[in-house]
Amino acid sequence: MRFPPFADLDRDQRRIYAEAPADGAMLVTGPPGTGKTVIAMHRALRLSKDNRSVTIIMFNKVLSRYTGNFPNMPDNVNVTHMHDWVIGWYRAAFGKIPPEKEKFVIDWEKIRNKIRVASEAQLKKLNWGHLIVDEG
């Protein structure tokens, strides 16, 4: 299976790609197979050319492994599974794994409360830079 090159994008995909702001949020929705992951990968590649660190997080482990093995993936693009990313993100600031309600169910309310009382140094470590969420 090959990853579609930019030249293979259809008109709608190219429009979404072109309209995506370099700095800012954009929500792309659509049913399975419409190219959301392809757009996410091409966006990451474009941003990486500006020497930006880009992280793409995915909920699906198989998809994250597949896209993480994309040929010629720049070193400043990291593709990871959502749970792995959250653990690393939280651990960088607080030195431990994030709280869970149960196994594999992150307790976002506890995380939010922890962030509210975080120090300036911890808040700086929580800045995730340019983040692309696929299958959020």
Side-chain angles (χ1 to χ4, degrees):
M1 185 175 209
R2 70 175 182 87
F3 193 82
F6 187 80
D8 287 355
L9 298 184
D10 66 26
R11 188 183 77 231
D12 289 334
Q13 291 169 325
R14 286 177 187 249
R15 182 185 53 77
I16 291 167
Y17 176 86
E19 292 176 4
D23 291 316
M26 181 173 195
L27 177 64
V28 178
T29 62
T34 55
K36 297 177 301 292
T37 299
V38 172
I39 294 295
M41 293 299 292
H42 282 290
R43 177 175 172 84
L45 294 172
R46 180 180 75 186
L47 293 169
S48 74
K49 291 177 183 174
D50 295 334
N51 292 321
R52 298 177 191 220
S53 292
V54 181
T55 300
I56 303 172
I57 59 173
M58 300 178 175
F59 189 76
N60 184 308
K61 282 194 176 218
V62 173
L63 184 60
S64 67
R65 284 190 198 118
Y66 168 71
T67 54
N69 291 322
F70 182 65
N72 304 315
M73 180 69 72
D75 291 338
N76 57 339
V77 176
N78 177 38
V79 179
T80 188
H81 181 260
M82 191 268 300
H83 284 96
D84 294 338
W85 178 83
V86 170
I87 289 169
W89 169 76
Y90 191 85
R91 184 179 280 150
F94 301 113
K96 57 186 174 183
I97 63 170
E100 295 180 323
K101 291 181 178 183
E102 60 185 74
K103 190 168 177 83
F104 303 118
V105 179
I106 296 165
D107 191 333
W108 291 103
E109 185 175 345
K110 284 185 180 177
I111 290 174
R112 184 188 68 215
N113 292 337
K114 182 80 171 174
I115 291 171
R116 285 182 175 162
V117 297
S119 68
E120 288 297 321
Q122 289 170 324
L123 289 173
K124 187 173 183 177
K125 291 177 183 176
L126 289 171
N127 183 336
W128 53 59
H130 201 92
L131 184 66
I132 297 174
V133 180
D134 189 24
E135 297 293 328

